[in-house]
Amino acid sequence: MKTHAKATFALNAWDEKSYNEMNGLPKLTRASVTKSYQGDITGEGKLEYLMMYRDDGSASFIGLERVVGSVGGRSGSFVVQHSGTFKGGVATVTLLVVPGSGTGDLHGAKRGRGIYCRASRALLHHT
């Protein structure tokens, strides 16, 4: 079964701390993030990002997020892998549902992918 899900999200909490700063080198940080989803995806996401900031303010980041809620009326949870960049005030992120991470009605979801650009829209395809 293929599903195309569109959702918006809000950032409810962002707690970012540096874990490695050295003179002349990119800064490394970790952020604990809480998100809420509305649309075809509803629920809450708990996300951990690892980020590297360059001198020009751009960044690269990776993260893992557990989303608990529903997709198209099917309840459960799943984990999403994030990989992205931040440049010129715009975040561009590729999302992949981690195989085997689904629970409840989402247990059979074998894969999913998505992308968002900016800070308030998400698009997810899953099967």
Side-chain angles (χ1 to χ4, degrees):
M1 172 173 137
K2 289 192 176 187
T3 301
H4 179 90
K6 287 186 181 182
T8 58
F9 65 86
L11 295 173
N12 300 328
W14 185 286
D15 181 23
E16 184 173 354
K17 293 181 173 73
S18 175
Y19 69 88
N20 188 273
E21 283 188 76
M22 299 175 73
N23 207 10
L25 297 175
K27 177 172 73 169
L28 301 177
T29 67
R30 177 182 179 165
S32 296
V33 180
T34 303
K35 297 161 62 174
S36 58
Y37 288 89
Q38 293 189 351
D40 296 332
I41 302 169
T42 60
E44 183 176 78
K46 300 278 188 176
L47 168 63
E48 292 293 319
Y49 275 131
L50 293 177
M51 297 176 280
M52 183 204 76
Y53 287 94
R54 296 173 193 84
D55 288 340
D56 65 2
S58 66
S60 293
F61 55 90
I62 57 171
L64 288 174
E65 174 182 13
R66 182 181 312 278
V67 178
V68 178
S70 66
V71 179
R74 296 168 53 197
S75 297
S77 69
F78 56 95
V79 175
V80 179
Q81 178 180 308
H82 294 234
S83 177
T85 59
F86 180 80
K87 186 175 182 178
V90 176
T92 302
V93 185
T94 299
L95 307 168
L96 296 172
V97 173
V98 177
S101 68
T103 67
D105 294 339
L106 302 173
H107 178 72
K110 295 180 182 163
R111 62 178 183 219
R113 61 182 170 78
I115 189 164
Y116 70 79
C117 190
R118 299 189 200 193
S120 63
R121 298 188 190 273
L123 176 63
L124 176 71
H125 302 273
H126 75 87
T127 57

